[in-house]
Each structure stands twice: as structure tokens, then as C-alpha cells.
Amino acid sequence: MRRVVVLALLALALPIAAWADGIVLTNQFGSISISTAGITSVQSQLKSFNGITATAGHSLGSVSFSTGALTSGSIRWGGTFSATGSSFVVTGVGNWAQGHHTTIFTGSFVGPVVWTLTSAPGVNNLTYTLSGTIAGTLWDGRSATGSTTQNFFTVNGQLVEGIGHIRGGTTTFTVPEPGTLGLLGTGLVGIAGMFRRKLIGA
């Protein structure tokens, strides 16, 4: 019985360990074009990547993203954009990224992309957030999933023209560790075998 309890605890702990390798990056500045066909970023600077931070006046590379078309709500008051046809790409420059214009992550949004008005209704200076789940591949071939939240500002006149500005964004990736996932599979097979033996014995 004690062995069953130990194996069960191990099975519960392994999924947490399997997704323990996380990557956090931030971006700043740049602009976006906004229409019912989607939102597309222009020249947002990669400011930090997993503890590496760009010096003042410099960047580590770029972050670019685009959504699919608006599926509900409105650009002015907030709504939801589709992930169909979307993209999310992080490019590094300099030695830290193992060469200039190295693609660090390439992927897309998965599921709805939420566009939220965060300023008070009726004001001229408007702020918005764009948030969604992303999935794709890192530079070393590992799959990664995560989420991003991008913050924007604009004014009524520019919004009508489809122009917004990126204040900053944070993206967090979770990367599975293949070795730990293997251990998880082995542990689960062992538990299944023990329960099967007990059932046959009964």
C-alpha cells in the first residue's frame, strides 16, 4: 500500500516538473495597425529575454505579431480577434542570440485573442491590452506554449485611422523537458501495472 501511495505522489509531482522550464521576455515601443481584418505590430523592440536585458537605448532584437480578423465586439470598445492566420515571431540580434537575425521563436496565437479597452469610456487618450495564448517552436527545436499580454495607447483620431502605439508587453513560455516527460510516462506505466496486478489478484 505504501508503494502505491509513493507512486501516486510521484505521478502528481512529475507533470509540474515536466513543465518547469520557463522563458520570460519583454518588448517595448513600436506601433500597431488596427482594422477589422486584424492587428499587426510594427518594429517592437525585444528588451529582455530570460534574464538578459538590453542596455539603455538598445534592443536584443524584435517581437512581431499579428492576429486574425475581428470576430466579435468592436475595435473602439474591445472585442475578440481570431487566431486564424495569426503569427508571433521573436528575432534576436547580437552574440547572445548566436548570430544576427536569429529566429528565437516562431509560432502563432492559439484560440481567441482578446482586445480590451482599459481606459475610461469617453476619454480622448485611450489604452488597450491584447492578450492570448501562443504556441510554436524555439530556436533549438523544442515546442513551447505560453501567453502574451501587450499594452497599447492611442487617441481617438489615430484609432479611427487604425494607428496604435506599443507601450510594452510581457510573454511567458513554458517548455517541456523531454527527459522528465519520459520519467512521467514510465511512472504512469508502473502505476497502471501495479493496479492491474492487484485487480487480477483480487
Side-chain angles (χ1 to χ4, degrees):
M1 178 64 182
R2 192 169 67 183
R3 185 190 298 176
V4 173
V5 172
V6 170
L7 285 173
L9 290 173
L10 180 62
L12 291 172
L14 278 174
I16 297 168
W19 294 94
D21 189 9
I23 295 172
V24 178
L25 64 91
T26 61
N27 60 285
Q28 195 175 18
F29 309 132
S31 62
I32 54 171
S33 61
I34 315 163
S35 74
T36 55
I39 295 175
T40 302
S41 71
V42 180
Q43 297 178 336
S44 186
Q45 297 177 11
L46 179 63
K47 300 305 287 185
S48 69
F49 184 88
N50 222 29
I52 303 169
T53 303
T55 56
H58 295 82
S59 73
L60 299 177
S62 64
V63 174
S64 62
F65 52 87
S66 63
T67 72
L70 184 70
T71 57
S72 66
S74 69
I75 291 171
R76 174 65 178 84
W77 300 106
T80 303
F81 287 84
S82 170
T84 303
S86 67
S87 65
F88 197 98
V89 178
V90 182
T91 304
V93 295
N95 292 333
W96 79 273
Q98 289 80 48
H100 287 285
H101 303 294
T102 301
T103 302
I104 298 168
F105 173 84
T106 180
S108 61
F109 286 96
V110 181
V113 186
V114 181
W115 173 250
T116 306
L117 174 67
T118 54
S119 54
V123 300
N124 186 54
N125 297 318
L126 304 169
T127 57
Y128 293 87
T129 61
L130 181 76
S131 58
T133 302
I134 52 178
T137 307
L138 292 168
W139 74 96
D140 58 5
R142 289 183 296 168
S143 296
T145 58
S147 61
T148 189
T149 298
Q150 301 290 324
N151 300 290
F152 311 99
F153 65 93
T154 187
V155 295
N156 281 317
Q158 288 187 332
L159 185 64
V160 170
E161 296 176 4
I163 299 170
H165 309 279
I166 301 169
R167 178 165 283 147
T170 301
T171 304
T172 303
F173 292 113
T174 307
V175 186
E177 300 173 27
T180 312
L181 288 176
L183 285 173
L184 171 62
T186 304
L188 292 177
V189 167
I191 290 173
M194 286 191 62
F195 280 115
R196 184 173 180 272
R197 199 177 329 151
K198 280 189 170 287
L199 287 172
I200 291 172

